[in-house]
Coordinates of all heavy atoms in Angstrom, one line a residue:
A24 N 50.1 123.5 87.3 CA 49.8 122.4 86.4 C 50.8 121.2 86.6 O 50.4 120.1 86.4 CB 49.8 122.8 85.0
P26 N 52.5 118.3 87.9 CA 52.2 117.4 89.0 C 53.4 117.2 89.9 O 54.5 117.4 89.4 CB 51.9 116.0 88.3 CG 51.6 116.4 86.8 CD 52.3 117.6 86.5
Q28 N 55.2 114.9 91.1 CA 56.3 114.0 90.8 C 57.1 114.5 89.6 O 58.2 113.9 89.3 CB 55.7 112.6 90.5 CG 54.9 112.0 91.6 CD 53.5 112.5 91.6 OE1 53.0 113.2 90.7 NE2 52.8 112.2 92.7
Y29 N 56.6 115.5 88.9 CA 57.4 115.8 87.6 C 58.8 116.2 87.8 O 59.7 115.7 87.2 CB 56.6 117.0 86.9 CG 57.3 117.5 85.7 CD1 57.4 116.7 84.5 CD2 57.9 118.7 85.6 CE1 58.0 117.1 83.4 CE2 58.5 119.2 84.5 CZ 58.6 118.3 83.4 OH 59.3 118.8 82.3
C33 N 60.2 112.5 85.8 CA 60.2 112.7 84.3 C 61.0 114.0 83.8 O 61.6 113.9 82.8 CB 58.7 113.0 83.9 SG 57.5 112.2 84.8
H37 N 62.7 114.6 80.2 CA 61.7 115.2 79.4 C 61.9 116.7 79.2 O 61.3 117.4 78.4 CB 60.3 114.8 79.7 CG 60.1 113.3 79.3 ND1 59.6 113.0 78.0 CD2 60.2 112.2 79.9 CE1 59.5 111.7 78.0 NE2 59.9 111.2 79.1
P45 N 60.6 112.7 74.1 CA 59.7 113.9 73.7 C 59.7 115.0 74.7 O 59.5 114.7 75.9 CB 58.4 113.2 73.5 CG 58.4 111.9 74.2 CD 59.8 111.5 74.3
K46 N 60.1 116.2 74.3 CA 60.2 117.3 75.2 C 58.9 117.8 75.8 O 57.9 117.8 75.1 CB 60.9 118.5 74.6 CG 62.4 118.5 74.8 CD 63.1 119.5 73.9 CE 63.3 120.8 74.7 NZ 64.2 121.7 73.9
T47 N 58.9 118.1 77.1 CA 57.7 118.7 77.7 C 57.3 119.9 77.0 O 58.1 120.8 76.6 CB 58.1 119.0 79.2 OG1 58.5 117.9 79.8 CG2 56.9 119.6 79.9
H48 N 56.0 120.0 76.6 CA 55.3 121.1 75.9 C 55.7 121.2 74.4 O 55.3 122.1 73.8 CB 55.6 122.5 76.6 CG 55.1 122.5 78.0 ND1 53.8 122.0 78.4 CD2 55.7 123.0 79.2 CE1 53.7 122.2 79.7 NE2 54.8 122.7 80.2
D49 N 56.4 120.2 73.9 CA 56.7 120.2 72.5 C 55.6 119.3 71.9 O 55.7 118.1 71.7 CB 58.1 119.6 72.2 CG 58.4 119.5 70.7 OD1 57.5 119.7 69.9 OD2 59.6 119.2 70.4
W53 N 54.9 115.3 70.9 CA 53.9 114.5 71.6 C 52.8 113.9 70.8 O 52.2 112.9 71.1 CB 53.4 115.2 72.8 CG 54.4 115.2 74.0 CD1 55.3 116.1 74.4 CD2 54.6 114.0 74.9 NE1 56.0 115.6 75.4 CE2 55.6 114.4 75.8 CE3 54.0 112.8 75.0 CZ2 56.1 113.5 76.8 CZ3 54.5 111.9 76.0 CH2 55.5 112.3 76.8
R56 N 52.8 110.4 69.8 CA 52.8 109.5 71.1 C 51.4 109.5 71.6 O 50.9 108.4 71.9 CB 53.7 110.2 72.2 CG 55.1 110.5 71.7 CD 56.0 109.3 71.7 NE 57.4 109.6 71.3 CZ 58.4 108.8 71.4 NH1 58.1 107.5 71.8 NH2 59.6 109.2 71.1
M57 N 50.7 110.6 71.7 CA 49.3 110.7 72.2 C 48.4 109.9 71.3 O 47.4 109.4 71.8 CB 48.8 112.1 72.3 CG 49.6 113.0 73.3 SD 49.6 112.3 75.0 CE 48.2 113.0 75.8
A58 N 48.8 109.8 70.0 CA 47.9 109.0 69.1 C 47.8 107.5 69.5 O 46.9 106.9 69.1 CB 48.4 109.2 67.7
G60 N 47.2 106.5 72.4 CA 46.2 106.4 73.4 C 46.9 106.3 74.8 O 47.9 105.8 75.0
M61 N 46.2 106.9 75.8 CA 46.7 107.0 77.1 C 47.1 105.7 77.8 O 48.2 105.6 78.4 CB 45.8 107.8 78.0 CG 46.3 108.2 79.3 SD 48.0 109.1 79.2 CE 47.5 110.7 78.8
P62 N 46.3 104.6 77.6 CA 46.6 103.4 78.3 C 47.9 102.8 77.8 O 48.8 102.3 78.5 CB 45.4 102.4 77.9 CG 44.3 103.3 77.6 CD 44.9 104.6 77.0
A63 N 48.2 102.9 76.4 CA 49.5 102.4 75.9 C 50.6 103.3 76.4 O 51.7 102.7 76.6 CB 49.4 102.6 74.3
L64 N 50.4 104.6 76.6 CA 51.5 105.4 77.1 C 51.8 105.1 78.5 O 53.0 105.0 78.9 CB 51.2 106.9 76.9 CG 51.0 107.3 75.4 CD1 50.6 108.9 75.4 CD2 52.2 107.1 74.6
V65 N 50.8 104.9 79.3 CA 51.1 104.5 80.7 C 51.8 103.2 80.8 O 52.8 103.1 81.5 CB 49.7 104.5 81.5 CG1 49.9 103.9 82.9 CG2 49.1 105.9 81.6
E66 N 51.4 102.3 79.9 CA 52.2 101.0 79.9 C 53.6 101.2 79.5 O 54.5 100.5 80.0 CB 51.5 100.0 78.8 CG 50.4 99.2 79.3 CD 50.7 98.5 80.6 OE1 51.5 97.5 80.6 OE2 50.1 98.8 81.7
S67 N 53.9 102.1 78.5 CA 55.3 102.3 78.1 C 56.1 102.8 79.2 O 57.3 102.4 79.4 CB 55.4 103.4 77.0 OG 54.7 103.0 75.8
V68 N 55.5 103.7 80.1 CA 56.3 104.2 81.2 C 56.5 103.1 82.2 O 57.6 102.9 82.7 CB 55.6 105.4 81.8 CG1 56.4 106.0 83.0 CG2 55.2 106.5 80.8
K69 N 55.5 102.3 82.5 CA 55.6 101.3 83.5 C 56.7 100.2 83.1 O 57.5 99.8 83.9 CB 54.3 100.6 83.8 CG 53.4 101.6 84.5 CD 52.3 100.9 85.3 CE 51.2 100.4 84.5 NZ 50.0 100.1 85.4
M75 N 64.2 105.0 78.2 CA 63.4 105.4 79.4 C 63.4 104.1 80.3 O 62.9 103.1 79.9 CB 62.0 105.8 79.0 CG 61.2 106.1 80.3 SD 59.7 107.2 80.0 CE 58.8 106.2 78.9
C84 N 54.5 106.0 91.5 CA 53.4 106.7 90.8 C 52.3 105.6 90.5 O 52.6 104.5 90.2 CB 53.9 107.2 89.5 SG 54.7 108.8 89.6
T85 N 51.1 106.1 90.6 CA 49.9 105.3 90.2 C 49.6 105.6 88.8 O 50.1 106.6 88.2 CB 48.7 105.7 91.1 OG1 48.4 107.1 90.8 CG2 48.9 105.6 92.6
D86 N 48.7 104.8 88.2 CA 48.3 105.1 86.8 C 47.7 106.5 86.6 O 48.0 107.1 85.6 CB 47.2 104.0 86.4 CG 47.8 102.7 86.1 OD1 49.0 102.4 86.5 OD2 47.1 101.8 85.6
E87 N 47.0 106.9 87.6 CA 46.4 108.3 87.6 C 47.5 109.3 87.6 O 47.4 110.3 86.8 CB 45.5 108.5 88.8 CG 44.2 107.8 88.7 CD 44.3 106.3 89.0 OE1 45.2 105.9 89.8 OE2 43.5 105.5 88.5
Q88 N 48.5 109.1 88.3 CA 49.6 110.1 88.4 C 50.4 110.1 87.1 O 50.8 111.1 86.6 CB 50.5 109.8 89.6 CG 49.8 110.2 90.9 CD 50.6 109.7 92.1 OE1 51.2 108.7 92.1 NE2 50.4 110.4 93.2
Y89 N 50.6 108.9 86.5 CA 51.3 108.8 85.2 C 50.4 109.6 84.2 O 51.0 110.3 83.3 CB 51.5 107.4 84.7 CG 52.6 106.7 85.4 CD1 52.4 105.4 85.9 CD2 53.9 107.2 85.6 CE1 53.4 104.7 86.6 CE2 54.9 106.5 86.2 CZ 54.6 105.3 86.7 OH 55.7 104.6 87.3
T90 N 49.1 109.4 84.2 CA 48.3 110.0 83.2 C 48.4 111.6 83.3 O 48.5 112.3 82.4 CB 46.8 109.6 83.5 OG1 46.7 108.2 83.3 CG2 45.8 110.3 82.5
A91 N 48.4 112.0 84.6 CA 48.5 113.5 84.9 C 49.9 114.0 84.4 O 49.9 115.1 83.7 CB 48.3 113.8 86.3
L92 N 50.9 113.2 84.6 CA 52.2 113.6 84.2 C 52.3 113.7 82.6 O 52.9 114.6 82.1 CB 53.3 112.7 84.7 CG 53.5 112.8 86.2 CD1 54.1 111.5 86.8 CD2 54.4 114.0 86.5
I93 N 51.7 112.7 82.0 CA 51.8 112.7 80.5 C 50.9 113.8 79.9 O 51.4 114.5 79.0 CB 51.3 111.3 80.0 CG1 52.3 110.2 80.4 CG2 51.2 111.3 78.5 CD1 51.7 108.8 80.3
E94 N 49.8 114.0 80.5 CA 48.9 115.1 80.0 C 49.7 116.5 80.2 O 49.6 117.3 79.3 CB 47.6 115.1 80.7 CG 46.6 114.1 80.1 CD 45.4 113.9 80.8 OE1 45.2 114.5 81.9 OE2 44.5 113.2 80.3
F95 N 50.3 116.6 81.3 CA 51.1 117.9 81.5 C 52.2 118.0 80.5 O 52.3 119.1 79.9 CB 51.7 117.8 83.0 CG 52.7 118.9 83.2 CD1 52.3 120.2 83.3 CD2 54.1 118.7 83.2 CE1 53.2 121.2 83.5 CE2 55.0 119.7 83.4 CZ 54.5 121.0 83.5
M96 N 52.9 117.0 80.2 CA 54.0 117.1 79.3 C 53.6 117.3 77.8 O 54.2 118.0 77.1 CB 54.9 115.9 79.4 CG 55.6 115.7 80.7 SD 57.0 114.7 80.7 CE 56.2 113.0 80.8
A97 N 52.4 116.8 77.5 CA 51.9 117.0 76.2 C 51.1 118.2 76.0 O 50.7 118.6 74.8 CB 51.0 115.8 75.8
S98 N 50.9 119.0 77.1 CA 50.1 120.2 77.0 C 50.9 121.3 76.3 O 52.1 121.3 76.4 CB 49.6 120.6 78.3 OG 50.7 121.0 79.2
P99 N 50.2 122.3 75.7 CA 51.0 123.4 75.2 C 51.8 124.2 76.2 O 51.4 124.3 77.4 CB 49.9 124.3 74.5 CG 48.6 123.8 75.0 CD 48.8 122.5 75.6

Side-chain angles (χ1 to χ4, degrees):
Q28 299 81 10
Y29 177 68
C33 330
H37 287 272
K46 264 171 96 169
T47 301
H48 301 314
D49 179 348
W53 278 100
R56 309 280 183 173
M57 292 306 265
M61 190 54 80
L64 296 181
V65 170
E66 273 311 291
S67 294
V68 184
K69 290 206 278 196
M75 177 160 64
C84 279
T85 63
D86 286 10
E87 287 72 33
Q88 287 168 331
Y89 286 132
T90 301
L92 287 160
I93 295 165
E94 280 172 352
F95 169 73
M96 293 197 282
S98 67

